[in-house]
Amino acid sequence: KSLRTANPDRMHVLVQLPGGVQLEKELHDYLREDHLNGEWFRVGPRVIALLFLLVREAGAKQGMQAEAVTRLLMTTMEASS
């Protein structure tokens, strides 16, 4: 809910990661070039690649086929652009 109040656009949660401060620091370091402010990042090639990887992995854990996860992610990204 707090993310929604910080952004006027419609948002979709694609994946939620378990982890703590160390994982968050590593992700921020990896995505440093795309960092905008706080928890916000520009949707660049690194962000897209990471999203595809994480969403596919999460989908596989839930028994979804990779093609179905990819279609879901592409549809979500097209709807939000």
Side-chain angles (χ1 to χ4, degrees):
K1 185 176 181 178
S2 62
L3 289 176
R4 263 193 327 210
T5 60
N7 186 331
D9 298 324
R10 185 171 185 171
M11 298 177 62
H12 303 277
V13 175
L14 298 176
V15 65
Q16 194 171 2
L17 301 175
V21 174
Q22 183 60 36
L23 175 61
E24 183 173 4
K25 181 185 179 325
E26 291 172 14
L27 288 171
H28 275 255
D29 287 346
Y30 177 73
L31 299 172
R32 178 181 25 247
E33 293 176 20
D34 296 307
H35 185 249
L36 295 173
N37 182 27
E39 301 298 322
W40 299 101
F41 297 86
R42 180 180 12 270
V43 182
R46 281 181 171 235
V47 170
I48 292 170
L50 182 60
L51 280 174
F52 267 98
L53 176 70
L54 294 172
V55 170
R56 280 187 170 211
E57 184 177 311
K61 287 180 182 176
Q62 295 176 17
M64 293 178 72
Q65 296 295 320
E67 295 80 16
V69 174
T70 300
R71 280 194 308 274
L72 174 65
L73 181 55
M74 292 301 293
T75 301
T76 302
M77 290 177 72
E78 289 170 1
S80 64
S81 60

